[in-house]
């Protein structure tokens, strides 16, 4: 992945986010944290809907380091 916004691949970013969410869901379910898992699952559905609708996204690089 690159930090250059003109070459940022939104699909790749979204897929990485969905994979991270899936990992988090697996952990939450294994810990019995069903309410938190449901909220995260809804966030994933909402993100997918916005991607499908063609919404504009802003990518902010991690500036914490």
């Amino acid at each position: 992945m690159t930090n250059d916004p003109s070459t940022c691949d939104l699909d790749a970013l979204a897929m990485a986010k969905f994979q991270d969410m899936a990992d988090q869901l697996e952990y939450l379910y294994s810990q019995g944290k069903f309410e938190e898992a449901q909220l995260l699952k809804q966030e994933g559905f909402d993100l997918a809907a916005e991607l499908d609708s063609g919404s504009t996204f802003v990518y902010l690089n991690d500036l914490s380091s």
Side-chain angles (χ1 to χ4, degrees):
M1 195 173 334
T2 179
N3 290 332
D4 181 2
S6 65
T7 60
C8 182
D9 183 354
L10 183 58
D11 290 334
L13 285 172
M15 290 309 296
K17 178 64 176 173
F18 288 138
Q19 183 59 56
D20 180 59
M21 292 173 107
D23 294 343
Q24 289 180 54
L25 279 171
E26 183 178 1
Y27 174 77
L28 289 170
Y29 279 122
S30 75
Q31 298 298 305
K33 297 182 177 186
F34 303 113
E35 186 175 331
E36 292 92 336
Q38 185 60 34
L39 290 171
L40 184 60
K41 190 165 79 170
Q42 186 59 52
E43 181 183 339
F45 287 140
D46 292 345
L47 176 59
E50 290 301 317
L51 286 166
D52 287 344
S53 75
S55 294
T56 300
F57 285 84
V58 175
Y59 172 71
L60 301 176
N61 194 22
D62 181 3
L63 302 175
S64 61
S65 54

